[in-house]
Amino acid sequence: MQIYNSQTRKKETFVPLKPGHVGIYACGPTVYDYFHIGNARPFIVFDVLRRYLEYRGYQVTFVQNFTDIDDKMIHRANEEGISVKELGDRFIKEYYQDAGALGVRPATVHPRATEHMSQIIKLIQQLIDRGLAYENKGSVYYHTAGFPEYGKLSGQDMEDLDAGARIDVDEEKRSAADFALWKAEKPGEPVWDSPWGKGRPGWHIECSAMSMTYLGDTIDIHAGGKDLLFPHHENEIAQSEGATGQPFVRYWMHNGFLNIDNEKMSKSLGNFFTVRDILKEYDAEDVRMFMLSAQYRSPLNFSRESIAQAHASLTRLYTARDHLAFLLEKAPDRVSDAQEEGFLQRVQTYRDRFDEAMDDDLNTAGAIGVLFELVYDCNTTLTEHSARAAIAGAQQALNELSDVLGLLMKQADALPHEVQTLADQRAQARQQKDWAASDALRKQLHELGYQVEDTPAGQKLSKV
Ligand code: AMP
Ligand code: ZN
């Protein structure tokens, strides 16, 4: 597989550190509110990355943190008159609900910053011991000038960085590019004990501490939105490599931004949507299909039309799946003929091309395109006279490949018992050439919301 590595700015062949195993760390949400539709993009695309690597036979450890202590958390908890812990508990629960609806599997581990204070404090102490951090008035800062490689991810020069940044009045750091690892106690903020007095961790240190805890010193893939590249991920490198002396990340993956109607999503523009709100209006799987309709690094535009398009695409896949199930039920038990053998060979080439697209830096748009080719071939090649093996081969390919994308997750509706009984009676009436009874039963079925189509392979029911 080729992965575009943001650090080297080119596609590289993916080779995990430990053969057969992949460790992924993805920066997760700050749990001060419902997550928004922009956040949903990394959650969905990196869920697909994980599914794809598993499908290719890797054992994947996927870690995604919850940032449950920072300025936004404190501010919101104060507004609501609840503790930061209660706020975190609440929106972690809401995260699971919305992510689950979008087909995003829970990570192997979802560590919370506030539950890893001892690891965070230990890491900060290590940096102080190595001369890479200093304490000042109860706060601890990273000494960026002590880490010569600072800026290597974002491709920036230390001098430019220092000149471009400014020091906030309440900060006691030596240089503008330095950043807080530990923040001294302030009134009204939750605090933890530390060797430097009471305080709370800075944001960047949690990801270094928690990735180290669950994935070791070097991780295979670190993922997040491209807004995190600087300073968050640059700082993570400085912290982790500064402390361990080992390479921190082998492949950096950053997703492009989601815009709304071609504008940056922002509260002030009034185009800010939480996933919870979006799902009141749109089907969750349509949203997922839309998110995968572009390669993850390109910008993606959310609009009513783009969701409608995703809906139409998904419907085509579902219709094909239902049709294959219908054909399979009627399929004659005979050996495949030459035409069907040719078809099965083409199914294998669709599988190969799907993998090729995904191997090309997770090109989900290309992979979905291949699924449509498969479906088109099924629709034009297979009939009710096709051999079972041909239909089953296509069905298996469609199911397995859409599973990799987390699509077609809705189970085919079983017919309600009453509908099935009427359908059976109608089939019997037709066998006995009792057309009047057959018509009456068709009407009854229609009243229950089902329309009947008579095909050479028998009757086919679908919802009106
Ligand atoms: P946050 O809770 O803001 O730290 O964001 C969680 C994840 O969502 C991070 O990986 C961000 O980079 C990503 N993210 C935030 N806004 C957007 C957006 N509009 N489009 C795509 N990704 C985003
Ligand atoms: Zn992070």
Side-chain angles (χ1 to χ4, degrees):
M1 182 180 192
Q2 297 276 307
I3 289 181
Y4 180 88
N5 185 348
S6 316
Q7 184 165 340
T8 55
R9 288 177 204 83
K10 54 178 197 273
K11 285 184 194 169
E12 294 173 5
T13 302
F14 176 67
V15 185
L17 192 60
K18 231 167 65 194
H21 191 278
V22 184
I24 305 179
Y25 188 93
C27 290
T30 306
V31 283
Y32 72 110
D33 204 341
Y34 297 102
F35 66 85
H36 60 65
I37 188 70
N39 299 141
R41 191 175 189 194
F43 302 157
I44 292 171
V45 299
F46 298 122
D47 175 68
V48 169
L49 171 70
R50 173 195 193 182
R51 288 169 186 258
Y52 181 63
L53 290 169
E54 286 177 351
Y55 154 85
R56 293 305 297 263
Y58 290 105
Q59 194 195 334
V60 181
T61 307
F62 190 91
V63 180
Q64 184 181 294
N65 66 305
F66 287 122
T67 298
D68 62 350
I69 176 71
D70 80 338
D71 291 348
K72 282 184 288 201
M73 292 291 300
I74 294 169
H75 184 75
R76 186 66 188 268
N78 287 343
E79 248 176 26
E80 305 251 324
I82 56 174
S83 69
V84 164
K85 163 97 172 72
E86 284 169 315
L87 183 72
D89 288 349
R90 171 170 173 211
F91 284 110
I92 285 173
K93 222 171 102 217
E94 306 292 11
Y95 167 87
Y96 286 122
Q97 182 175 329
D98 291 338
L102 292 171
V104 174
R105 285 165 47 196
T108 318
V109 197
H110 275 288
R112 288 175 73 155
T114 56
E115 291 172 0
H116 293 78
M117 278 307 155
S118 63
Q119 291 93 331
I120 289 173
I121 289 170
K122 192 173 141 227
L123 182 57
I124 298 175
Q125 188 60 55
Q126 242 172 310
L127 289 168
I128 295 178
D129 295 344
R130 289 188 144 219
L132 284 169
Y134 53 92
E135 186 263 347
N136 194 358
K137 297 192 182 148
S139 291
V140 181
Y141 298 96
Y142 191 93
H143 173 49
T144 42
F147 186 71
E149 289 176 89
Y150 193 78
K152 71 175 174 183
L153 174 64
S154 52
Q156 302 183 76
D157 222 55
M158 197 57 221
E159 276 173 31
D160 296 347
L161 281 170
D162 242 358
R166 73 189 168 87
I167 301 184
D168 284 339
V169 277
D170 63 341
E171 289 185 308
E172 306 282 349
K173 56 192 191 183
R174 293 181 198 153
S175 157
D178 293 357
F179 56 92
L181 300 171
W182 188 260
K183 299 180 171 191
E185 173 169 26
K186 277 193 208 157
E189 294 191 354
V191 287
W192 287 263
D193 287 323
S194 83
W196 320 286
K198 287 186 191 305
R200 64 178 170 100
W203 169 36
H204 316 297
I205 196 73
E206 72 177 79
C207 287
S208 284
M210 295 192 290
S211 67
M212 224 177 261
T213 303
Y214 296 100
L215 297 166
D217 291 352
T218 304
I219 58 186
D220 290 307
I221 298 174
H222 195 318
K226 69 174 191 182
D227 58 319
L228 299 185
L229 203 139
F230 186 84
H232 186 53
H233 290 158
E234 193 70 64
N235 292 352
E236 282 186 37
I237 294 177
Q239 295 163 160
S240 296
E241 298 191 357
T244 67
Q246 299 298 317
F248 174 42
V249 171
R250 291 164 66 80
Y251 304 87
W252 283 99
M253 291 177 83
H254 290 99
N255 65 273
F257 253 47
L258 179 100
N259 298 315
I260 309 278
D261 293 320
N262 290 313
E263 279 192 283
K264 189 173 184 298
M265 176 165 59
S266 85
K267 284 194 171 139
S268 57
L269 286 173
N271 65 356
F272 183 93
F273 302 105
T274 63
V275 164
R276 185 62 58 92
D277 283 339
I278 294 277
L279 295 187
K280 286 181 190 142
E281 204 176 331
Y282 300 104
D283 179 80
E285 208 173 319
D286 292 349
V287 174
R288 186 175 176 103
M289 179 71 162
F290 155 74
M291 291 286 182
L292 299 177
S293 66
Q295 202 266 357
Y296 72 94
R297 282 191 295 124
S298 1
L300 182 59
N301 189 42
F302 185 92
S303 66
R304 197 166 279 282
E305 296 76 48
S306 51
I307 295 288
Q309 212 166 26
H311 176 76
S313 301
L314 200 53
T315 305
R316 253 163 79 197
L317 296 184
Y318 269 113
T319 306
R321 186 185 77 172
D322 291 350
H323 189 60
L324 286 171
F326 172 75
L327 289 181
L328 194 63
E329 213 175 288
K330 312 283 167 192
D333 255 333
R334 62 166 174 77
V335 184
S336 310
D337 60 26
Q339 195 216 355
E340 288 154 356
E341 289 298 331
F343 171 77
L344 280 171
Q345 275 165 19
R346 290 201 301 281
V347 169
Q348 186 54 49
T349 62
Y350 298 130
R351 281 178 177 273
D352 294 343
R353 286 178 44 225
F354 177 94
D355 292 1
E356 268 167 44
M358 295 294 275
D359 275 345
D360 182 13
D361 195 27
L362 209 70
N363 182 3
T364 51
I368 290 171
V370 176
L371 281 188
F372 284 128
E373 288 183 52
L374 164 68
V375 160
Y376 179 80
D377 203 342
C378 291
N379 291 343
T380 47
T381 308
L382 299 176
T383 70
E384 56 274 16
H385 306 297
S386 301
R388 181 168 291 273
I391 303 165
Q395 188 183 51
Q396 208 182 352
L398 182 62
N399 287 342
E400 281 177 21
L401 301 181
S402 43
D403 227 35
V404 171
L405 301 172
L407 295 173
L408 297 192
M409 300 310 261
K410 289 181 201 139
Q411 294 309 311
D413 291 342
L415 291 174
H417 182 69
E418 191 185 3
V419 173
Q420 188 61 59
T421 310
L422 291 175
D424 291 347
Q425 287 172 3
R426 184 169 180 274
Q428 216 175 6
R430 287 180 67 76
Q431 239 175 18
Q432 293 160 358
K433 302 200 187 315
D434 184 350
W435 309 122
S438 159
D439 281 351
L441 285 158
R442 173 197 290 277
K443 247 197 199 139
Q444 270 179 282
L445 283 163
H446 195 84
E447 278 157 21
L448 292 171
Y450 287 82
Q451 98 193 354
V452 188
E453 190 191 334
D454 289 307
T455 78
Q459 56 183 2
K460 192 172 163 185
L461 269 72
S462 54
K463 281 209 175 135
V464 181

Short mmCIF file of all heavy atoms in Angstrom, two decimals, residues 88-109:
data_model
loop_
_atom_site.label_atom_id
_atom_site.label_comp_id
_atom_site.label_asym_id
_atom_site.label_seq_id
_atom_site.Cartn_x
_atom_site.Cartn_y
_atom_site.Cartn_z
N GLY A 88 -17.43 15.81 30.27
CA GLY A 88 -16.72 14.80 29.48
C GLY A 88 -17.51 13.51 29.39
O GLY A 88 -17.70 12.96 28.30
N ASP A 89 -18.01 13.04 30.52
CA ASP A 89 -18.79 11.79 30.53
C ASP A 89 -19.97 11.90 29.57
O ASP A 89 -20.24 10.98 28.79
CB ASP A 89 -19.36 11.52 31.93
CG ASP A 89 -18.28 11.09 32.92
OD1 ASP A 89 -17.15 10.81 32.47
OD2 ASP A 89 -18.57 11.06 34.13
N ARG A 90 -20.62 13.05 29.62
CA ARG A 90 -21.83 13.21 28.79
C ARG A 90 -21.49 13.17 27.30
O ARG A 90 -22.10 12.43 26.53
CB ARG A 90 -22.50 14.55 29.14
CG ARG A 90 -23.61 14.85 28.18
CD ARG A 90 -24.47 16.00 28.55
NE ARG A 90 -25.37 16.22 27.43
CZ ARG A 90 -25.84 17.39 27.07
NH1 ARG A 90 -25.55 18.47 27.77
NH2 ARG A 90 -26.63 17.49 26.02
N PHE A 91 -20.47 13.95 26.89
CA PHE A 91 -20.23 14.02 25.45
C PHE A 91 -19.42 12.85 24.90
O PHE A 91 -19.39 12.64 23.70
CB PHE A 91 -19.68 15.39 25.06
CG PHE A 91 -20.78 16.42 25.07
CD1 PHE A 91 -20.82 17.42 26.04
CD2 PHE A 91 -21.82 16.34 24.15
CE1 PHE A 91 -21.87 18.33 26.07
CE2 PHE A 91 -22.87 17.24 24.18
CZ PHE A 91 -22.90 18.24 25.14
N ILE A 92 -18.82 12.08 25.80
CA ILE A 92 -18.21 10.83 25.33
C ILE A 92 -19.34 9.86 24.96
O ILE A 92 -19.30 9.20 23.93
CB ILE A 92 -17.26 10.24 26.40
CG1 ILE A 92 -15.97 11.05 26.43
CG2 ILE A 92 -16.97 8.77 26.12
CD1 ILE A 92 -15.00 10.71 27.54
N LYS A 93 -20.37 9.86 25.79
CA LYS A 93 -21.53 9.01 25.50
C LYS A 93 -22.17 9.43 24.17
O LYS A 93 -22.51 8.59 23.33
CB LYS A 93 -22.55 9.14 26.64
CG LYS A 93 -23.16 7.82 27.02
CD LYS A 93 -23.99 7.92 28.28
CE LYS A 93 -25.46 7.96 27.92
NZ LYS A 93 -26.27 8.84 28.75
N GLU A 94 -22.29 10.74 23.98
CA GLU A 94 -22.89 11.23 22.73
C GLU A 94 -22.00 10.92 21.53
O GLU A 94 -22.48 10.67 20.44
CB GLU A 94 -23.14 12.76 22.80
CG GLU A 94 -23.95 13.24 24.00
CD GLU A 94 -25.41 12.79 23.98
OE1 GLU A 94 -25.77 11.94 23.15
OE2 GLU A 94 -26.18 13.30 24.83
N TYR A 95 -20.66 10.95 21.76
CA TYR A 95 -19.74 10.58 20.67
C TYR A 95 -20.05 9.17 20.19
O TYR A 95 -20.20 8.92 19.00
CB TYR A 95 -18.27 10.66 21.12
CG TYR A 95 -17.35 9.98 20.11
CD1 TYR A 95 -16.85 10.70 19.03
CD2 TYR A 95 -17.06 8.61 20.19
CE1 TYR A 95 -16.07 10.07 18.05
CE2 TYR A 95 -16.28 7.98 19.23
CZ TYR A 95 -15.79 8.71 18.17
OH TYR A 95 -15.03 8.08 17.20
N TYR A 96 -20.15 8.23 21.13
CA TYR A 96 -20.38 6.84 20.74
C TYR A 96 -21.69 6.70 19.96
O TYR A 96 -21.78 5.93 19.01
CB TYR A 96 -20.39 5.91 21.96
CG TYR A 96 -19.01 5.67 22.53
CD1 TYR A 96 -18.72 5.98 23.86
CD2 TYR A 96 -17.99 5.12 21.76
CE1 TYR A 96 -17.45 5.76 24.39
CE2 TYR A 96 -16.73 4.90 22.28
CZ TYR A 96 -16.47 5.22 23.59
OH TYR A 96 -15.21 5.00 24.10
N GLN A 97 -22.69 7.46 20.36
CA GLN A 97 -23.98 7.36 19.68
C GLN A 97 -23.87 7.84 18.22
O GLN A 97 -24.28 7.15 17.29
CB GLN A 97 -25.04 8.19 20.42
CG GLN A 97 -26.40 8.07 19.75
CD GLN A 97 -27.50 8.78 20.52
OE1 GLN A 97 -27.46 8.88 21.74
NE2 GLN A 97 -28.49 9.28 19.79
N ASP A 98 -23.28 9.03 18.02
CA ASP A 98 -23.21 9.59 16.66
C ASP A 98 -22.21 8.82 15.79
O ASP A 98 -22.47 8.58 14.62
CB ASP A 98 -22.85 11.07 16.71
CG ASP A 98 -23.99 11.90 17.31
OD1 ASP A 98 -25.14 11.42 17.28
OD2 ASP A 98 -23.73 13.02 17.79
N ALA A 99 -21.05 8.49 16.37
CA ALA A 99 -20.05 7.75 15.60
C ALA A 99 -20.62 6.39 15.21
O ALA A 99 -20.47 5.95 14.07
CB ALA A 99 -18.76 7.60 16.41
N GLY A 100 -21.32 5.76 16.15
CA GLY A 100 -21.93 4.46 15.87
C GLY A 100 -22.93 4.56 14.72
O GLY A 100 -22.95 3.72 13.82
N ALA A 101 -23.73 5.62 14.75
CA ALA A 101 -24.72 5.81 13.68
C ALA A 101 -24.03 5.93 12.32
O ALA A 101 -24.54 5.46 11.31
CB ALA A 101 -25.57 7.04 13.97
N LEU A 102 -22.86 6.55 12.32
CA LEU A 102 -22.12 6.74 11.06
C LEU A 102 -21.31 5.50 10.66
O LEU A 102 -20.56 5.53 9.70
CB LEU A 102 -21.16 7.94 11.18
CG LEU A 102 -21.83 9.31 11.30
CD1 LEU A 102 -20.79 10.37 11.64
CD2 LEU A 102 -22.56 9.69 10.01
N GLY A 103 -21.45 4.44 11.44
CA GLY A 103 -20.75 3.20 11.11
C GLY A 103 -19.28 3.21 11.51
O GLY A 103 -18.49 2.40 11.03
N VAL A 104 -18.91 4.15 12.40
CA VAL A 104 -17.52 4.22 12.87
C VAL A 104 -17.39 3.27 14.06
O VAL A 104 -18.09 3.44 15.07
CB VAL A 104 -17.16 5.66 13.31
CG1 VAL A 104 -15.78 5.72 13.94
CG2 VAL A 104 -17.25 6.61 12.12
N ARG A 105 -16.53 2.29 13.92
CA ARG A 105 -16.37 1.31 15.01
C ARG A 105 -15.65 1.95 16.18
O ARG A 105 -14.78 2.80 15.99
CB ARG A 105 -15.57 0.12 14.50
CG ARG A 105 -16.36 -0.81 13.61
CD ARG A 105 -15.47 -1.75 12.84
NE ARG A 105 -14.47 -2.36 13.71
CZ ARG A 105 -13.38 -2.97 13.26
NH1 ARG A 105 -13.15 -3.06 11.98
NH2 ARG A 105 -12.53 -3.50 14.11
N PRO A 106 -15.95 1.53 17.40
CA PRO A 106 -15.17 2.03 18.54
C PRO A 106 -13.71 1.64 18.34
O PRO A 106 -13.41 0.57 17.79
CB PRO A 106 -15.76 1.29 19.74
CG PRO A 106 -17.07 0.74 19.29
CD PRO A 106 -16.99 0.56 17.80
N ALA A 107 -12.79 2.52 18.78
CA ALA A 107 -11.37 2.22 18.65
C ALA A 107 -11.01 1.05 19.57
O ALA A 107 -11.80 0.66 20.43
CB ALA A 107 -10.56 3.45 19.04
N THR A 108 -9.82 0.50 19.39
CA THR A 108 -9.34 -0.55 20.30
C THR A 108 -9.27 0.05 21.71
O THR A 108 -9.68 -0.58 22.68
CB THR A 108 -7.92 -1.02 19.89
OG1 THR A 108 -7.86 -1.13 18.47
CG2 THR A 108 -7.57 -2.33 20.54
N VAL A 109 -8.76 1.26 21.80
CA VAL A 109 -8.73 1.98 23.07
C VAL A 109 -9.12 3.43 22.80
O VAL A 109 -8.69 4.02 21.81
CB VAL A 109 -7.30 2.05 23.69
CG1 VAL A 109 -7.37 2.42 25.16
CG2 VAL A 109 -6.52 0.77 23.47
#
